[in-house]
Amino acid sequence: MFGWVFAGHQIGAASIAWFAGVTHVWTGSYRLSLLVAGTLCLVAALATQGIRNDGPTPRSSSPEPGPPPDAEPLSPEPLSPGVGAGRA
């Protein structure tokens, strides 16, 4: 899902940049492209108002995998002398 969102964002950004260049060449100003971009932002903001958020949806009824409750925390093993000491 995130990939499609990012791809749509990139396509939109490229499109409006191209449109801004074309309108600047035609009109000598960025005013039209600014108005179009602002209008599209307002339309997008209004479109998101209809999205409901009912909270997270569980993926399955099984609990998340993890360590057993009585497991001891992992501790790193000590390094051997001279490891990572930057010997020449």
Side-chain angles (χ1 to χ4, degrees):
M1 182 67 186
F2 290 115
W4 287 109
V5 171
F6 293 139
H9 178 268
Q10 294 299 319
I11 291 169
S15 300
I16 200 66
W18 174 83
F19 179 74
V22 169
T23 57
H24 185 267
V25 168
W26 285 346
T27 65
S29 171
Y30 288 109
R31 180 173 292 169
L32 177 62
S33 59
L34 179 65
L35 292 172
V36 169
T39 302
L40 289 174
C41 286
L42 288 174
V43 168
L46 291 173
T48 61
Q49 296 304 307
I51 299 174
R52 291 185 347 183
N53 184 5
D54 295 332
T57 304
R59 293 181 182 256
S60 68
S61 60
S62 63
E64 292 285 328
D70 59 346
E72 294 182 21
L74 297 175
S75 60
E77 296 181 22
L79 296 175
S80 301
V83 173
R87 296 184 290 179

